[in-house]
Amino acid sequence: DVYKRQARAYGTNNLPDSSNMCHETSSVALPESIGVPVGTCTLDDFAKTDCIFFFGQNVGTSSPRMLHQLQQAAKRDVPIITFNPLRERGLVEFTNPQAPGEMLSGAATPISSQYHQVRSGGDTAAMMGIAKALLQQEEAGPAGGSVIDWDFIKEHCHGWDDWSTAVKACSWSDIEARSGLTRGALEAAAHVYAQKSSVMFIYGMGLTQHRKGVETVQTMVNLALMRGNVGRPGAGICPVRGHSNVQGQRTVGITEKPAMVPADKVKALFGIDVPQKKGLTTVEACKGVIDGSVRAVIQLGGNLVRSVPEHRLVVPAWRRLRLTVQILTKLNRCLLYTS
């Protein structure tokens, strides 16, 4: 909070932060789709769900505390259907380090009931394949009744005709080529989905940190809405943040967008006039470091140089900065790149 006030007292909204790198696409996609910029699930939903779809998140390395909830769900025979190019150990099986019996015996709990190694960038195609399989089940008139939650769609959704038309227009050959998965694999995922009533959709930065991030997240939301899996216990959208600061930064007003800042309160409480010019995002700041328009960086925590995807371009440019100030509790490589 003090950090952002210092920046605005200096006269700038140049506050690039980890939120730009993590779930910026979620903050665009989710309000347009469900009206809120954050997930709809809580930890309580893990105990109430009967199926989990898991996209683009290496939980063992990035969110290891979630392994406990996933293990508990797996032990209840909750299907966990994973889409990840990497066969990540934590999503295959888990031995709880807090359980002496498991550590001594080496016993491991299988986590994913289906593990689909989707092609990198092919998540949207995979989701379209699952949606297409659902529509085909619906048209075939399944013995167990409708697989589409028509009451939910009529009451809470709009744009069904456009969505269903787009799904039907996707050929299986294109879906398979783009997703890197077979039709049979996607139909197997759809078959489980059609049988479950409370499904959580968990996703991480594998869905958000690319050019089609908004489209991919919204496709996933549409897949959830097809069976009414938003707004009830054990179901919903669950974006996994990179770390707690991603949410905390926005909460205290660290943002490059002046419209998101309560300027009147900042003025009344601290006598600071919030600048009205939009500041630089992390991507824009890195471009500025590379082209020389950004000449100084003050960094509170983090490891910016190694966090950005194009660190091979940023590293030599970082050394040309006229001033770098690091406020850290632990040394990292940003310090090594200082000229």
Side-chain angles (χ1 to χ4, degrees):
D1 184 55
V2 174
Y3 184 66
K4 67 101 187 289
R5 277 187 272 139
Q6 179 185 6
R8 293 186 174 120
Y10 187 73
T12 182
N13 285 309
N14 288 341
L15 287 162
D17 62 275
S18 54
S19 295
N20 295 142
M21 296 299 298
C22 187
H23 276 276
E24 198 80 343
T25 45
S26 293
S27 68
V28 174
L30 294 180
E32 292 180 357
S33 295
I34 58 176
V36 293
V38 295
T40 66
C41 294
T42 68
L43 282 176
D44 291 340
D45 288 305
F46 280 90
K48 300 171 183 176
T49 187
D50 59 13
C51 181
I52 295 173
F53 274 76
F54 211 100
F55 292 94
Q57 170 73 3
N58 297 330
V59 64
T61 53
S62 300
S63 305
R65 293 182 67 86
M66 187 187 288
L67 282 167
H68 298 279
Q69 281 73 35
L70 293 179
Q71 183 184 45
Q72 291 164 8
K75 286 183 174 180
R76 292 191 294 110
D77 293 324
V78 172
I80 299 175
I81 302 174
T82 296
F83 292 82
N84 195 324
L86 175 70
R87 194 165 179 82
E88 203 247 2
R89 178 65 181 270
L91 288 167
V92 175
E93 61 181 17
F94 176 54
T95 300
N96 190 341
Q98 297 179 2
E102 292 184 26
M103 294 300 291
L104 291 171
S105 66
T109 303
I111 297 299
S112 296
S113 53
Q114 293 185 28
Y115 203 121
H116 302 288
Q117 289 184 262
V118 64
R119 178 170 299 178
S120 181
D123 300 278
T124 300
M127 295 169 192
M128 293 294 279
I130 297 170
K132 188 176 185 72
L134 287 178
L135 288 179
Q136 291 177 342
Q137 287 185 54
E138 182 72 17
E139 292 172 353
S146 179
V147 298
I148 307 298
D149 191 335
W150 294 114
D151 291 339
F152 180 89
I153 290 171
K154 289 176 184 177
E155 183 175 356
H156 300 292
C157 304
H158 60 84
W160 170 260
D161 290 341
D162 291 338
W163 164 247
S164 60
T165 299
V167 171
K168 292 175 182 177
C170 289
S171 68
W172 277 113
S173 59
D174 283 344
I175 289 171
E176 289 181 317
R178 296 188 183 189
S179 69
L181 302 172
T182 66
R183 174 177 177 175
L186 295 173
E187 287 179 334
H191 177 72
V192 174
Y193 183 35
Q195 295 179 324
K196 302 301 178 180
S197 59
S198 295
V199 183
M200 292 175 63
F201 286 79
I202 303 175
Y203 71 100
M205 287 172 277
L207 260 61
T208 61
Q209 286 192 348
H210 58 79
R211 293 180 183 274
K212 298 294 184 179
V214 171
E215 177 183 317
T216 304
V217 171
Q218 290 182 331
T219 303
M220 183 198 67
V221 172
N222 286 347
L223 186 58
L225 295 175
M226 289 180 76
R227 289 189 45 75
N229 280 301
V230 173
R232 65 166 176 258
I237 308 301
C238 183
V240 182
R241 306 286 185 175
H243 51 77
S244 59
N245 282 347
V246 174
Q247 185 66 48
Q249 288 165 167
R250 289 294 187 256
T251 302
V252 301
I254 293 180
T255 173
E256 76 282 355
K257 302 179 181 71
M260 295 179 64
V261 181
D264 53 341
K265 291 185 178 180
V266 174
K267 176 67 174 178
L269 291 172
F270 308 108
I272 297 173
D273 292 311
V274 175
Q276 293 306 299
K277 181 180 179 182
K278 177 184 171 296
L280 298 178
T281 65
T282 298
V283 173
E284 292 164 346
C286 288
K287 289 180 177 178
V289 171
I290 293 169
D291 66 26
S293 59
V294 171
R295 296 182 294 173
V297 173
I298 300 174
Q299 184 171 251
L300 175 63
N303 189 355
L304 178 64
V305 176
R306 299 297 296 180
S307 298
V308 297
E310 298 291 347
H311 61 265
R312 285 174 292 181
L313 294 177
V314 176
V315 167
W318 189 268
R319 290 192 171 106
R320 295 193 296 269
L321 286 167
R322 294 179 61 184
L323 173 68
T324 59
V325 178
Q326 310 288 335
I327 307 169
L328 303 170
T329 56
K330 185 168 74 171
L331 301 181
N332 64 43
R333 292 206 179 186
C334 277
L335 298 172
L336 301 179
Y337 301 139
T338 301
S339 58

